[in-house]
Amino acid sequence: MKAMVSPLPLVFDRRRQRAYRRRAATLGRSTFLIERVAEDLSDRLATVLRRFECALDLGTPTDAVRRALAASGKVGTIIAADALAGDPAVSRHWARETVATAEREQERTLDVPLLVAADEEALPFRDASLDLVVSALTLQFVNDLPGTLVQIRRALKPDGLLLAALAGGDTLTELRQAFAAAEAEIEDGISPRVVPFSDVRDMGALLQRAGFALPVTDIDRVTARYASPISLMHDLRRMGATNPLLERSRRPLKRATLRRMTEIYAERFADRDGRIRATFEIVWLSGWAPHESQQKPLAPGSARQRLADVLGTTEIRLPRTGDGNQ
Protein backbone atom coordinates (compact mmCIF):
# COMPACT_ATOMS: atom_id res chain seq x y z
CA MET A 1 0.00 0.00 0.00
CA LYS A 2 1.46 3.34 -1.04
CA ALA A 3 1.89 6.06 1.55
CA MET A 4 -0.43 9.02 1.19
CA VAL A 5 1.39 12.30 0.55
CA SER A 6 -0.41 15.43 1.70
CA PRO A 7 -0.68 18.04 -1.07
CA LEU A 8 1.19 21.27 -0.53
CA PRO A 9 -1.14 23.84 1.05
CA LEU A 10 -1.80 26.73 -1.30
CA VAL A 11 -1.47 30.18 0.24
CA PHE A 12 -1.42 32.52 -2.76
CA ASP A 13 -3.75 32.89 -5.72
CA ARG A 14 -1.05 32.96 -8.39
CA ARG A 15 -3.47 33.87 -11.17
CA ARG A 16 -4.74 36.82 -9.14
CA GLN A 17 -1.19 37.93 -8.40
CA ARG A 18 -0.33 37.93 -12.11
CA ALA A 19 -3.46 40.00 -12.76
CA TYR A 20 -2.25 42.54 -10.19
CA ARG A 21 1.07 42.76 -12.03
CA ARG A 22 -0.68 43.35 -15.36
CA ARG A 23 -2.67 46.16 -13.78
CA ALA A 24 0.52 47.68 -12.34
CA ALA A 25 2.11 47.68 -15.80
CA THR A 26 -0.83 49.63 -17.24
CA LEU A 27 -1.06 52.06 -14.29
CA GLY A 28 2.63 52.91 -14.41
CA ARG A 29 4.78 51.19 -11.83
CA SER A 30 5.99 52.56 -8.53
CA THR A 31 9.66 51.61 -8.71
CA PHE A 32 11.46 53.22 -5.76
CA LEU A 33 11.67 49.93 -3.84
CA ILE A 34 12.79 47.75 -6.72
CA GLU A 35 15.38 50.35 -7.72
CA ARG A 36 16.78 50.32 -4.18
CA VAL A 37 16.98 46.53 -4.26
CA ALA A 38 18.74 46.61 -7.64
CA GLU A 39 21.30 49.09 -6.30
CA ASP A 40 21.89 46.91 -3.24
CA LEU A 41 22.29 43.84 -5.46
CA SER A 42 24.88 45.69 -7.51
CA ASP A 43 26.87 46.45 -4.35
CA ARG A 44 26.69 42.82 -3.23
CA LEU A 45 27.77 41.53 -6.62
CA ALA A 46 30.73 43.94 -6.58
CA THR A 47 32.21 42.02 -3.62
CA VAL A 48 32.26 38.75 -5.59
CA LEU A 49 35.58 38.46 -7.42
CA ARG A 50 34.54 36.37 -10.39
CA ARG A 51 32.62 36.52 -13.67
CA PHE A 52 29.28 34.83 -14.40
CA GLU A 53 28.86 33.77 -18.02
CA CYS A 54 25.13 32.99 -17.82
CA ALA A 55 22.79 34.76 -15.39
CA LEU A 56 19.06 34.34 -14.78
CA ASP A 57 16.81 37.13 -13.51
CA LEU A 58 13.89 35.19 -12.04
CA GLY A 59 10.55 36.98 -11.96
CA THR A 60 11.76 40.50 -11.17
CA PRO A 61 8.86 42.75 -12.24
CA THR A 62 11.01 45.48 -13.89
CA ASP A 63 14.32 45.64 -15.73
CA ALA A 64 16.11 47.25 -12.75
CA VAL A 65 18.06 44.13 -11.80
CA ARG A 66 18.96 43.35 -15.40
CA ARG A 67 20.35 46.86 -15.79
CA ALA A 68 22.43 46.34 -12.65
CA LEU A 69 23.77 43.04 -13.98
CA ALA A 70 24.69 44.56 -17.34
CA ALA A 71 26.39 47.55 -15.69
CA SER A 72 28.45 45.33 -13.38
CA GLY A 73 30.67 44.08 -16.19
CA LYS A 74 30.69 40.68 -14.49
CA VAL A 75 27.87 39.01 -16.42
CA GLY A 76 27.76 37.63 -19.93
CA THR A 77 24.37 36.38 -21.14
CA ILE A 78 21.33 37.60 -19.19
CA ILE A 79 18.09 35.62 -19.26
CA ALA A 80 14.83 37.05 -17.91
CA ALA A 81 12.32 34.40 -16.80
CA ASP A 82 8.81 35.59 -16.01
CA ALA A 83 5.34 34.06 -16.14
CA LEU A 84 4.16 37.22 -17.93
CA ALA A 85 6.93 37.31 -20.54
CA GLY A 86 4.42 36.75 -23.34
CA ASP A 87 1.72 39.05 -22.01
CA PRO A 88 1.07 41.97 -24.42
CA ALA A 89 0.63 44.66 -21.74
CA VAL A 90 3.76 43.58 -19.85
CA SER A 91 5.78 43.17 -23.07
CA ARG A 92 4.92 46.73 -24.10
CA HIS A 93 5.97 47.94 -20.65
CA TRP A 94 9.30 46.09 -20.90
CA ALA A 95 9.89 47.56 -24.37
CA ARG A 96 9.26 51.08 -23.06
CA GLU A 97 11.67 50.43 -20.17
CA THR A 98 14.40 49.22 -22.53
CA VAL A 99 14.05 52.23 -24.84
CA ALA A 100 13.94 54.65 -21.90
CA THR A 101 17.09 53.10 -20.43
CA ALA A 102 18.94 53.34 -23.75
CA GLU A 103 17.94 57.00 -24.15
CA ARG A 104 18.86 57.80 -20.55
CA GLU A 105 22.29 56.23 -20.94
CA GLN A 106 22.67 57.57 -24.51
CA GLU A 107 23.26 54.12 -25.95
CA ARG A 108 22.94 53.58 -29.69
CA THR A 109 22.10 49.88 -29.46
CA LEU A 110 19.51 48.15 -27.31
CA ASP A 111 20.83 45.27 -25.21
CA VAL A 112 17.69 43.12 -25.01
CA PRO A 113 17.92 40.11 -22.67
CA LEU A 114 16.62 36.68 -23.59
CA LEU A 115 13.01 36.39 -22.40
CA VAL A 116 11.60 33.08 -21.20
CA ALA A 117 7.97 32.56 -20.16
CA ALA A 118 8.35 30.54 -16.96
CA ASP A 119 6.65 30.29 -13.59
CA GLU A 120 8.88 30.60 -10.53
CA GLU A 121 7.47 27.30 -9.24
CA ALA A 122 8.28 25.32 -12.44
CA LEU A 123 11.65 26.31 -13.87
CA PRO A 124 12.43 25.02 -17.40
CA PHE A 125 16.23 25.09 -17.08
CA ARG A 126 18.36 21.97 -17.21
CA ASP A 127 20.57 20.99 -14.30
CA ALA A 128 23.91 22.81 -13.93
CA SER A 129 23.18 25.30 -16.72
CA LEU A 130 23.37 28.68 -14.93
CA ASP A 131 26.21 30.53 -13.21
CA LEU A 132 24.11 33.11 -11.36
CA VAL A 133 20.44 33.40 -10.37
CA VAL A 134 19.03 36.68 -9.05
CA SER A 135 15.49 37.57 -8.05
CA ALA A 136 14.00 40.75 -6.60
CA LEU A 137 10.71 41.07 -4.70
CA THR A 138 9.05 38.07 -6.32
CA LEU A 139 9.73 34.89 -4.35
CA GLN A 140 7.58 36.01 -1.39
CA PHE A 141 4.51 35.15 -3.50
CA VAL A 142 5.37 31.53 -4.42
CA ASN A 143 3.43 28.76 -2.72
CA ASP A 144 6.37 26.33 -2.58
CA LEU A 145 9.43 28.39 -1.70
CA PRO A 146 11.48 25.34 -0.58
CA GLY A 147 10.71 23.63 -3.91
CA THR A 148 11.65 26.73 -5.89
CA LEU A 149 14.97 27.01 -4.03
CA VAL A 150 15.72 23.34 -4.78
CA GLN A 151 15.03 23.95 -8.48
CA ILE A 152 17.33 26.99 -8.47
CA ARG A 153 20.12 25.06 -6.78
CA ARG A 154 19.80 22.24 -9.34
CA ALA A 155 19.88 24.72 -12.25
CA LEU A 156 23.08 26.32 -10.93
CA LYS A 157 26.44 24.99 -11.97
CA PRO A 158 28.73 23.87 -9.13
CA ASP A 159 29.91 27.03 -7.34
CA GLY A 160 27.05 29.01 -8.91
CA LEU A 161 25.50 31.81 -6.86
CA LEU A 162 21.96 32.70 -5.80
CA LEU A 163 21.20 36.30 -4.78
CA ALA A 164 17.56 36.98 -3.95
CA ALA A 165 15.57 39.66 -2.15
CA LEU A 166 12.03 39.14 -0.89
CA ALA A 167 9.62 40.90 1.41
CA GLY A 168 10.07 39.96 5.08
CA GLY A 169 7.72 39.53 8.01
CA ASP A 170 7.63 43.17 9.18
CA THR A 171 6.70 44.50 5.74
CA LEU A 172 3.58 46.72 5.99
CA THR A 173 3.24 45.96 9.70
CA GLU A 174 1.57 49.35 10.26
CA LEU A 175 -1.11 48.68 7.63
CA ARG A 176 -1.68 45.19 9.02
CA GLN A 177 -2.16 46.48 12.56
CA ALA A 178 -4.45 49.34 11.50
CA PHE A 179 -6.70 47.05 9.45
CA ALA A 180 -6.90 44.49 12.26
CA ALA A 181 -7.87 47.13 14.83
CA ALA A 182 -10.47 48.70 12.53
CA GLU A 183 -12.09 45.38 11.61
CA ALA A 184 -12.20 44.35 15.28
CA GLU A 185 -14.16 47.52 16.01
CA ILE A 186 -16.47 47.69 12.98
CA GLU A 187 -16.96 44.12 11.72
CA ASP A 188 -17.54 40.68 13.20
CA GLY A 189 -13.92 39.56 13.01
CA ILE A 190 -10.50 40.04 11.44
CA SER A 191 -9.65 38.96 7.89
CA PRO A 192 -6.16 38.78 6.32
CA ARG A 193 -5.97 42.11 4.50
CA VAL A 194 -2.14 42.14 4.33
CA VAL A 195 0.04 39.19 3.34
CA PRO A 196 1.90 37.52 6.27
CA PHE A 197 5.42 37.45 4.84
CA SER A 198 8.15 35.02 5.93
CA ASP A 199 10.46 35.63 8.88
CA VAL A 200 14.17 36.01 8.21
CA ARG A 201 14.91 33.34 10.84
CA ASP A 202 13.27 30.75 8.58
CA MET A 203 15.19 31.69 5.45
CA GLY A 204 18.62 30.36 6.39
CA ALA A 205 17.15 26.97 7.25
CA LEU A 206 15.31 26.89 3.90
CA LEU A 207 18.56 27.55 2.03
CA GLN A 208 20.25 24.68 3.88
CA ARG A 209 17.31 22.35 3.23
CA ALA A 210 17.53 23.20 -0.47
CA GLY A 211 21.19 22.11 -0.52
CA PHE A 212 22.95 25.47 -0.72
CA ALA A 213 26.42 25.87 0.71
CA LEU A 214 27.57 28.92 2.69
CA PRO A 215 24.02 30.28 3.16
CA VAL A 216 23.67 33.87 4.38
CA THR A 217 20.56 35.92 5.22
CA ASP A 218 20.30 39.55 6.28
CA ILE A 219 17.76 42.37 6.38
CA ASP A 220 17.44 45.83 4.87
CA ARG A 221 14.66 47.80 6.55
CA VAL A 222 13.17 50.64 4.52
CA THR A 223 10.75 53.24 5.94
CA ALA A 224 8.73 55.11 3.34
CA ARG A 225 6.47 58.07 4.10
CA TYR A 226 3.14 58.84 2.48
CA ALA A 227 0.56 61.61 2.66
CA SER A 228 -2.07 59.11 3.85
CA PRO A 229 -2.83 55.38 4.09
CA ILE A 230 -4.83 55.72 0.88
CA SER A 231 -1.72 57.00 -0.91
CA LEU A 232 0.15 53.96 0.37
CA MET A 233 -2.55 51.62 -0.93
CA HIS A 234 -2.45 53.30 -4.35
CA ASP A 235 1.33 52.83 -4.41
CA LEU A 236 0.95 49.13 -3.57
CA ARG A 237 -1.37 48.78 -6.57
CA ARG A 238 1.29 50.34 -8.77
CA MET A 239 3.79 47.83 -7.40
CA GLY A 240 1.45 44.91 -8.17
CA ALA A 241 1.64 44.08 -4.46
CA THR A 242 -1.97 44.03 -3.32
CA ASN A 243 -3.40 41.04 -1.45
CA PRO A 244 -3.25 37.74 -3.43
CA LEU A 245 -4.10 35.43 -0.50
CA LEU A 246 -6.50 32.60 -1.31
CA GLU A 247 -8.11 33.13 2.10
CA ARG A 248 -8.61 36.84 1.59
CA SER A 249 -12.08 38.19 2.33
CA ARG A 250 -14.32 38.30 -0.75
CA ARG A 251 -16.63 40.84 0.87
CA PRO A 252 -16.29 44.45 -0.29
CA LEU A 253 -14.45 46.57 2.24
CA LYS A 254 -16.92 48.68 4.19
CA ARG A 255 -16.45 52.44 3.99
CA ALA A 256 -16.71 52.66 7.77
CA THR A 257 -13.91 50.10 8.17
CA LEU A 258 -11.68 51.89 5.65
CA ARG A 259 -12.33 55.26 7.32
CA ARG A 260 -11.57 53.84 10.78
CA MET A 261 -8.41 52.15 9.44
CA THR A 262 -7.08 55.47 8.13
CA GLU A 263 -7.82 57.11 11.48
CA ILE A 264 -6.03 54.39 13.48
CA TYR A 265 -3.09 54.44 11.08
CA ALA A 266 -2.72 58.21 11.48
CA GLU A 267 -3.07 58.01 15.27
CA ARG A 268 -0.39 55.34 15.68
CA PHE A 269 2.04 55.76 12.80
CA ALA A 270 2.10 59.43 11.72
CA ASP A 271 4.99 61.84 12.10
CA ARG A 272 4.63 65.39 13.36
CA ASP A 273 4.05 66.72 9.85
CA GLY A 274 1.06 64.41 9.42
CA ARG A 275 2.69 62.00 6.95
CA ILE A 276 2.41 58.31 7.79
CA ARG A 277 5.18 55.70 7.89
CA ALA A 278 5.24 52.36 6.06
CA THR A 279 7.84 49.68 6.75
CA PHE A 280 9.28 47.51 3.97
CA GLU A 281 11.55 44.75 5.29
CA ILE A 282 13.77 43.31 2.56
CA VAL A 283 15.20 39.86 3.35
CA TRP A 284 18.34 39.02 1.39
CA LEU A 285 19.29 35.42 0.65
CA SER A 286 22.58 34.23 -0.76
CA GLY A 287 23.91 30.74 -1.21
CA TRP A 288 26.24 28.75 -3.44
CA ALA A 289 25.72 25.51 -5.29
CA PRO A 290 28.12 23.08 -3.58
CA HIS A 291 31.63 22.69 -4.99
CA GLU A 292 34.71 20.92 -3.67
CA SER A 293 36.72 24.18 -3.63
CA GLN A 294 34.45 25.85 -1.06
CA GLN A 295 35.34 26.24 2.59
CA LYS A 296 34.03 23.48 4.83
CA PRO A 297 33.88 23.22 8.64
CA LEU A 298 36.53 21.01 10.24
CA ALA A 299 35.48 17.77 11.85
CA PRO A 300 35.04 17.93 15.66
CA GLY A 301 38.25 17.03 17.47
CA SER A 302 40.50 17.69 14.47
CA ALA A 303 42.21 20.79 15.92
CA ARG A 304 46.01 20.53 16.22
CA GLN A 305 46.51 23.39 18.65
CA ARG A 306 44.77 24.36 21.87
CA LEU A 307 42.82 27.63 21.94
CA ALA A 308 44.57 28.51 25.23
CA ASP A 309 47.95 28.32 23.47
CA VAL A 310 46.77 30.61 20.66
CA LEU A 311 45.44 33.15 23.17
CA GLY A 312 48.51 32.88 25.39
CA THR A 313 46.51 32.06 28.50
CA THR A 314 46.15 29.20 30.98
CA GLU A 315 43.45 26.59 30.43
CA ILE A 316 41.28 26.04 33.50
CA ARG A 317 39.62 22.63 33.47
CA LEU A 318 36.25 22.11 35.08
CA PRO A 319 36.11 19.55 37.91
CA ARG A 320 34.83 16.11 36.98
CA THR A 321 31.47 14.96 38.35
CA GLY A 322 30.72 11.59 39.86
CA ASP A 323 29.55 10.12 36.55
CA GLY A 324 32.86 10.96 34.88
CA ASN A 325 31.57 14.04 33.04
CA GLN A 326 33.03 17.50 33.39
Side-chain angles (χ1 to χ4, degrees):
M1 181 176 179
K2 292 184 178 180
M4 297 297 293
V5 178
S6 300
L8 185 75
L10 299 180
V11 178
F12 301 108
D13 185 339
R14 300 277 292 162
R15 182 177 298 178
R16 173 71 63 175
Q17 202 270 328
R18 288 193 287 269
Y20 291 156
R21 287 190 53 203
R22 290 189 193 95
R23 181 177 64 187
T26 58
L27 290 175
R29 294 188 184 278
S30 172
T31 61
F32 79 91
L33 199 60
I34 199 79
E35 293 289 344
R36 180 187 178 107
V37 168
E39 183 179 354
D40 197 353
L41 184 141
S42 179
D43 292 341
R44 292 167 185 264
L45 201 58
T47 66
V48 182
L49 304 179
R50 58 167 289 186
R51 179 174 172 81
F52 302 93
E53 293 302 328
C54 186
L56 171 66
D57 178 16
L58 180 58
T60 302
T62 76
D63 69 341
V65 164
R66 297 190 287 278
R67 283 189 276 113
L69 293 178
S72 71
K74 294 187 173 184
V75 177
T77 301
I78 301 174
I79 303 171
D82 195 304
L84 297 180
D87 184 270
V90 176
S91 296
R92 285 194 296 270
H93 177 71
W94 282 359
R96 289 194 298 269
E97 283 185 332
T98 302
V99 172
T101 299
E103 292 177 345
R104 185 168 55 249
E105 299 178 1
Q106 298 181 343
E107 296 178 352
R108 294 184 178 180
T109 59
L110 301 182
D111 188 12
V112 180
L114 300 174
L115 301 181
V116 177
D119 191 284
E120 296 88 358
E121 296 182 343
L123 302 185
F125 304 99
R126 70 177 185 272
D127 290 356
S129 60
L130 303 170
D131 298 288
L132 172 68
V133 175
V134 298
S135 182
L137 302 184
T138 295
L139 297 183
Q140 68 270 8
F141 291 126
V142 301
N143 284 304
D144 183 14
L145 182 55
T148 295
L149 291 175
V150 168
Q151 292 182 67
I152 292 172
R153 193 260 303 159
R154 289 175 176 169
L156 284 169
K157 296 177 183 178
D159 208 30
L161 174 63
L162 165 67
L163 273 176
L166 57 159
D170 280 346
T171 297
L172 300 175
T173 181
E174 301 90 352
L175 185 63
R176 184 182 296 110
Q177 294 177 51
F179 258 127
E183 286 190 311
E185 287 185 22
I186 305 298
E187 305 191 24
D188 296 334
I190 298 174
S191 60
R193 298 284 180 183
V194 180
V195 173
F197 298 110
S198 299
D199 191 286
V200 65
R201 290 171 293 186
D202 302 327
M203 295 296 102
L206 287 181
L207 286 171
Q208 289 183 316
R209 281 177 52 192
F212 282 96
L214 309 174
V216 176
T217 62
D218 62 273
I219 291 176
D220 178 25
R221 189 180 297 268
V222 180
T223 301
R225 301 204 317 146
Y226 291 88
S228 69
I230 302 301
S231 298
L232 166 61
M233 294 169 70
H234 284 316
D235 214 27
L236 293 176
R237 282 194 170 204
R238 293 173 57 220
M239 293 180 189
T242 40
N243 186 359
L245 288 172
L246 280 168
E247 297 301 322
R248 68 189 182 279
S249 175
R250 275 16 182 218
R251 296 176 300 173
L253 180 62
K254 294 180 180 180
R255 288 186 179 181
T257 304
L258 180 60
R259 182 168 56 250
R260 183 60 183 139
M261 183 278 292
T262 61
E263 293 171 353
I264 293 172
Y265 202 125
E267 292 168 2
R268 298 183 182 181
F269 306 111
D271 293 328
R272 290 184 177 181
D273 60 2
R275 296 178 68 84
I276 57 100
R277 301 182 300 276
T279 297
F280 296 93
E281 183 181 80
I282 310 302
V283 177
W284 279 94
L285 312 180
S286 68
W288 297 81
H291 187 266
E292 60 183 11
S293 66
Q294 294 165 352
Q295 295 179 341
K296 296 178 179 63
L298 296 175
S302 62
R304 298 183 178 181
Q305 189 172 12
R306 297 189 312 157
L307 180 61
D309 295 338
V310 174
L311 297 177
T313 187
T314 302
E315 180 179 0
I316 302 176
R317 293 181 176 274
L318 296 175
R320 293 184 177 275
T321 60
D323 57 3
N325 295 321
Q326 286 189 337

